[in-house]
Amino acid sequence: MKLTIVEYPDKKLKEKSKVVEKFGKELHELLDAMYETMLKSNGIGLAAIQVGHAKQALLLNIPDEEDKQSIDTLIEMINPIITQKNGETVYQEGCLSVPSFYEDINRHENITVNYQDRDGNTKTVEAEGLLSIAIQHEIDHLNGILFIDKLSYSRRKKFEKEYKRVQKEKKLSKS
Ligand code: Y12
Ligand code: CO
């Protein structure tokens, strides 16, 4: 399955993703193709809506202590729900759907998440640090929310101006 990353300002990214009810071959093929796409793009997190599929499915691949990513560090979450959240933290976030932009975003420091794996088994994870931030970022995608939606009015205006300028430059360099 060939997937393309949907980029802001595509309206698709505003869609709310649907609960996954079937845990079969179709879901597995989507997850495998998402993994390849995330790997190719140097990402550490990817939600299905970012490749045009409005399903509550996401991937996380946070580098280990040696800064290495592999299939062993991959987490697949289907139908995730945050059940507990504590503390506050700020991190400079980036997103494959908003290329070249990084912004400081406030998140909960620690979270507990219930989710299902690719076979529908129920799991719970207590997350902190980068994993906690990445899960919150990806769950926002399932609700049609981008990290730039969390910026103040003035920062958002600055972002929009800069983003348009970079998009224009990219278009010109391709022509
Ligand atoms: C902390 C904050 C945000 C997340 C969500 C997952 N975000 C990503 O995986 C972002 C990846 C990314 C990759 C880029 O491409 C390269 O580095 C080659 C990138 O740069 C460009 O688009 C030019 C920007 C973002 C998890 C944890
Ligand atoms: Co993102």
Side-chain angles (χ1 to χ4, degrees):
M1 194 190 301
K2 172 98 178 78
L3 299 176
T4 309
I5 294 184
V6 177
E7 290 185 5
Y8 181 78
D10 195 313
K11 292 268 187 306
K12 187 83 189 169
L13 293 166
K14 293 225 122 319
E15 256 182 58
K16 278 191 196 292
S17 296
K18 297 204 169 60
V19 170
V20 174
E21 285 168 354
K22 290 183 185 156
F23 292 82
K25 192 170 167 232
E26 197 184 312
L27 175 67
H28 295 177
E29 281 176 0
L30 172 63
L31 292 170
D32 292 344
M34 282 173 63
Y35 179 64
E36 291 305 318
T37 307
M38 184 172 69
L39 213 60
K40 218 169 50 189
S41 321
N42 277 327
I44 56 173
L46 187 71
I49 195 68
Q50 292 181 270
V51 289
H53 292 253
K55 290 178 192 256
Q56 290 189 16
L58 61 89
L59 304 183
L60 303 151
N61 201 352
I62 306 296
D64 63 17
E65 308 82 58
E66 284 157 22
D67 212 25
K68 283 205 181 102
Q69 281 173 301
S70 71
I71 194 83
D72 299 332
T73 47
L74 176 68
I75 302 174
E76 296 173 341
M77 287 189 174
I78 317 299
N79 304 328
I81 295 172
I82 297 176
T83 56
Q84 285 186 56
K85 44 200 183 190
N86 284 300
E88 281 175 28
T89 188
V90 181
Y91 192 83
Q92 196 168 55
E93 298 187 13
C95 178
L96 290 172
S97 295
V98 189
S100 309
F101 279 84
Y102 300 87
E103 294 282 353
D104 279 350
I105 303 295
N106 299 318
R107 298 284 183 189
H108 301 291
E109 196 167 22
N110 307 296
I111 56 170
T112 304
V113 188
N114 290 348
Y115 66 98
Q116 285 167 287
D117 67 12
R118 62 162 58 206
D119 298 312
N121 302 303
T122 304
K123 307 262 181 183
T124 299
V125 68
E126 284 179 23
E128 57 177 17
L130 192 54
L131 178 61
S132 168
I133 293 162
I135 295 171
Q136 292 172 71
H137 177 111
E138 299 308 332
I139 289 180
D140 271 353
H141 275 298
L142 306 186
N143 293 310
I145 298 165
L146 296 176
F147 74 113
I148 50 167
D149 295 330
K150 296 182 175 283
L151 297 174
S152 66
Y153 180 78
S154 61
R155 286 210 64 84
R156 179 62 181 255
K157 279 199 87 163
K158 209 172 149 207
F159 160 80
E160 293 293 347
K161 201 173 160 192
E162 198 51 12
Y163 193 75
K164 273 189 195 127
R165 189 185 62 73
V166 172
Q167 298 288 94
K168 216 171 169 181
E169 263 177 21
K170 276 187 189 167
K171 230 179 180 176
L172 281 173
S173 70
K174 276 182 198 159
S175 66

